[in-house]
Each structure stands twice: as C-alpha cells, then as structure tokens.
Amino acid sequence: MAVEKTYQEINERIKKGQAVVVTAEELITMVKEKGVTRVTSEVDVVTTGTFGPMCSSGAFLNFGHSKPRIKMHKVWLNDVAAYTGIAAVDAFIGATEVPEDDPLNTVHPGEFRYGGGHVIQDLVARKKIRLKATGYGTDCYPRREIETEITIDDINEAILFNPRNAYQNYNCAVNLSSRTIYTYLGMLKANLGNAHYSTSGQLSPLLKDPMFKTIGVGTRIFLGGGIGYVVWNGTQHFPGVSQDNQGQNFGHSGGTLSVLGDLKQMSPRWLVGTSMLGYGATLTVGIGIPIPLLNEEICRYAAAGDDELYAPIIDYSDAFPNLIPANLGYVSYAELKSGKITVNGKEVPTAPVSSYPRAREIAGTLKQWIQKGDFLLGEPVQLLPNADAGIKANTLKG
C-alpha cells in the first residue's frame, strides 16, 4: 500500500511529541540507505533553510499618533526614506532604499553603506531609530513636522512583508568581459576570473518541493528568526523546468514566495542589512520551510542531493543585462560547492553569496521547534502555481 498522510495526523504527532523530523540533508542519506517507501512511512517532516540577500523585502510600520496629529507625507528613518502613500502614520521601508545624499555609483563602485535593510536590522536589534516626518497639514491632522527617536517596541506594529523571497533556483554568475563588473551576485572578475551562486542547493526550500505540493497560502515558516507565513506566490513567479538546447531537463526553477511575519519577534541574526559593492543596499533574510512527507512523491523530490540539482551559468557582462536568453551550460551544486567549475574549457573558482552553514542552522532550528511542539504545520488554503501552470514572464516595452 502506498504511504499517505494528512496534515492533521502529522500535527497530532507533533503535539504528542511523537513526530519524526529530519533536515533535508539527513533525508538524503536516509533515502539512500532505506529507500523512498520506508523513509516516507518513518519520517513526518523535512526541514529546509536558506540565508541570502533578498532585495524584494521590507516592513510596514505604524508609528502611532502624535499630539497634535500629523498626516505623514514624507518619512525618513535614519535618513532613509520610507513610502508613505498609505494611511496617516503608516509607512513601508524597503530593503534597497538608500539615503537621499548617498553618492550611489557616482564614484564607482559605490559602497552603499546604509539602506533600508540596515534600518530593518537596527529595528529588530532594538536600537534607537531617528524618525523625521513632514506633512502638509489638514483640519484633522494639523501638525506639519515631527522629529523624534523610536524603537521597535515604541511603535504599534512592525510587519515584515517581502514580496519576493526564496527564489527556487538561481543563476551561477560569470563575467566574459575584459573588465571587472559589480552585480547583485557580487564582484565578478574579468575573463571568467570567478563564479558566484546564491542558493543553498540541497537545503533550498523550493528545490525540495519543486512542484509546490505542500507550499501555499498559509504555510507556516521560519522567517527572520521568528514565525512567518507564505501569503501568496512572490513577484516574478514563473515556475518551470530548465532545459538545455538539446531538450535535456536540468530541474525546476523560477518559483518565488511572498512572505509575512511579525518583525517584533524576529532577530538581527537572521535579518541582516547588506551592502553590495557597486550595486546597492539589500537585506539578507533567513527562511526555513517544513515539508510534510504526505506521500512518496514528496519524499522523492525532497531527497534530491546537490549532485542532482543544477544552476544555469549566465554571463553577467552581456546576456543578463541585455535580457538575452542564453547560458553557458548547467552546473550541479555539488560542483559549485567543490570550489571550482569548468566554463568554456577554463577552470573557474566559485563562491556562494548565500550562506550554507546558516541555511543548515535554520533547518536545524526549525527541526527543534517542531520536535518540541512549538511549531505546528500550517496547511495551505491554496497551493501555489507550479510548472504545469505555464506562467510566462512579460517584458517591458520601450
């Protein structure tokens, strides 16, 4: 008989302290030793993790009302502008926003020493933040200016809301040109001087459930050191299967998540303001997703190792910036993590932009939460579109 489980059954086992929980790394070894059928029957939950720069991140903040009241038209937090096109004392601070006087790339490469991601990290670190706001004055909100200091505990709500996180798979970036270039995947040396990648491979959440059999609206997750939720697919969610010119499949890619959680319960260890030389400011985010082993198909996907997961090699000096749909081949995460790959016949050193040790720590922490009964599985009310949906990307004309 095929193994079939339900969320309710697994959550009951978690409540009783009887659930069997393993990390995705541990699952790979178990399946090699025991096979998919036996492991599916024995294991209830597999935990995953990723920790890397995620630019499409930010936080909604409600500051509370001043006396007299102000309808905030412009807001700055530590001199970083926040978006205020919502209610009177609500604002959204985006991870990539930088101070108005930042030199950006006028002196290239720019350093982008402080931005929205750093503000968010300082907030969760309980540091004092300088708040400046201006308004145009109304009968019910007469005040026109306020300058004060706040901490995250002084304000009403602080909600992390990241429109696009946890990319299912990402590129291995190289540089074919004769000059050094600066990208969101780091500094790429000329003439294939190095290669960077930014996915945790065999621990990466969306590579462990590539067809979104368990991940959807309402999935409870580890987010920034606290508990969060998947609230929708992320922006640029184009799930598909990567193929080379000969039609050979190299696995799933293109999926993204939109996630949300209470910023007040998160940690500066797992939300880190990050400066990308010559590119901009961002936020490095820790995410971990539990995958319930409801059946053998889910187990089989989750047991894929680094030697079975591939990234496309993309030239960031031409193909990527000019939106040219071409790559230089595919490379396994086992090869990437070995420290060197071969591109166009040349041996190229590799390095991750994301942290595998931190991803492993997230998966381990989530495992402990579940084992202690502190974290129950959230059954999705709606699963996310997968590769079968045939979603295609639109491009901007002009």
Side-chain angles (χ1 to χ4, degrees):
M1 292 287 290
V3 179
E4 296 286 345
K5 304 175 191 175
T6 67
Y7 282 87
Q8 291 76 14
E9 291 168 347
I10 294 175
N11 276 336
E12 282 302 314
R13 290 175 60 80
I14 293 172
K15 292 175 185 176
K16 295 175 181 177
Q18 299 173 348
V20 177
V21 188
V22 302
T23 69
E25 277 185 319
E26 294 167 336
L27 181 76
I28 293 165
T29 301
M30 291 179 69
V31 168
K32 287 179 180 177
E33 294 174 352
K34 300 179 179 181
V36 169
T37 300
R38 183 176 170 186
V39 171
T40 305
S41 66
E42 293 179 356
V43 175
D44 295 302
V45 185
V46 175
T47 60
T48 65
T50 189
F51 185 70
M54 302 187 192
C55 291
S56 192
S57 301
F60 284 102
L61 308 173
N62 177 275
F63 302 113
H65 290 287
S66 61
K67 186 177 181 179
R69 297 175 186 263
I70 181 173
K71 183 178 186 293
M72 295 178 175
H73 180 58
K74 300 287 185 182
V75 168
W76 296 266
L77 298 166
N78 285 352
D79 298 323
V80 178
Y83 176 75
T84 55
I86 39 182
V89 289
D90 286 340
F92 181 81
I93 180 74
T96 66
E97 189 65 66
V98 293
E100 293 174 351
D101 61 354
D102 191 292
L104 306 175
N105 266 337
T106 54
V107 179
H108 192 265
E111 295 184 348
F112 303 95
R113 295 182 178 182
Y114 195 85
H118 301 83
V119 174
I120 291 169
Q121 182 179 16
D122 285 346
L123 278 167
V124 295
R126 265 64 189 180
K127 293 183 179 180
K128 290 183 178 179
I129 305 294
R130 297 187 311 278
L131 166 66
K132 178 181 178 181
T134 60
Y136 49 82
T138 72
D139 291 335
C140 49
Y141 292 93
R143 190 167 186 164
R144 294 176 181 266
E145 187 173 2
I146 186 170
E147 290 191 40
T148 186
E149 287 186 336
I150 61 168
T151 70
I152 196 171
D153 298 309
D154 296 328
I155 64 178
N156 290 321
E157 286 86 26
I159 303 166
L160 189 74
F161 177 65
N162 300 347
R164 182 172 75 249
N165 277 186
Y167 249 111
Q168 188 167 32
N169 198 3
Y170 218 84
N171 303 328
C172 169
V174 298
N175 175 13
L176 295 181
S177 77
S178 58
R179 66 180 182 90
T180 298
I181 62 175
Y182 299 87
T183 76
Y184 62 84
L185 284 171
M187 182 182 73
L188 299 175
K189 298 177 183 178
N191 303 312
L192 293 174
N194 62 340
H196 285 172
Y197 61 99
S198 187
T199 305
S200 58
Q202 63 190 13
L203 277 175
S204 188
L206 301 193
L207 288 177
K208 303 279 86 178
D209 184 11
M211 287 295 286
F212 297 93
K213 298 289 185 179
T214 69
I215 298 173
V217 179
T219 295
R220 186 176 286 114
I221 64 175
F222 174 109
L223 178 60
I227 292 175
Y229 297 87
V230 175
V231 293
W232 203 249
N233 59 257
T235 57
Q236 295 183 192
H237 179 74
F238 310 124
V241 177
S242 298
Q243 293 183 327
D244 65 12
N245 294 332
Q246 286 72 48
Q248 181 179 350
N249 288 346
F250 282 90
H252 292 81
S253 63
T256 67
L257 300 179
S258 180
V259 298
L260 176 147
D262 181 1
L263 193 65
K264 292 189 177 188
Q265 58 169 265
M266 297 182 189
S267 163
R269 177 170 173 76
W270 300 112
L271 293 173
V272 179
T274 305
S275 301
M276 304 294 288
L277 188 65
Y279 181 74
T282 187
L283 182 68
T284 297
V285 181
I287 292 179
I289 300 182
I291 298 173
L293 294 192
L294 304 177
N295 55 51
E296 292 181 20
E297 180 186 22
I298 293 170
C299 180
R300 190 173 293 108
Y301 279 129
D306 280 334
D307 58 334
E308 302 170 273
L309 301 169
Y310 294 84
I313 305 169
I314 305 292
D315 172 28
Y316 272 61
S317 69
D318 184 27
F320 184 87
N322 292 303
L323 204 64
I324 299 170
N327 64 55
L328 303 169
Y330 289 85
V331 62
S332 74
Y333 281 95
E335 294 172 285
L336 287 168
K337 292 176 183 180
S338 75
K340 58 185 178 182
I341 59 174
T342 300
V343 183
N344 289 353
K346 180 180 179 178
E347 187 174 283
V348 181
T350 64
V353 176
S354 59
S355 170
Y356 193 77
R358 289 288 199 96
R360 179 184 284 144
E361 186 178 341
I362 290 169
T365 299
L366 185 52
K367 173 183 174 179
Q368 292 175 358
W369 288 356
I370 298 170
Q371 288 175 327
K372 291 178 181 178
D374 295 334
F375 186 105
L376 296 178
L377 303 182
E379 182 173 4
V381 296
Q382 178 178 309
L383 293 175
L384 302 184
N386 59 31
D388 293 338
I391 303 173
K392 302 298 182 185
N394 294 319
T395 56
L396 193 61
K397 306 290 190 294

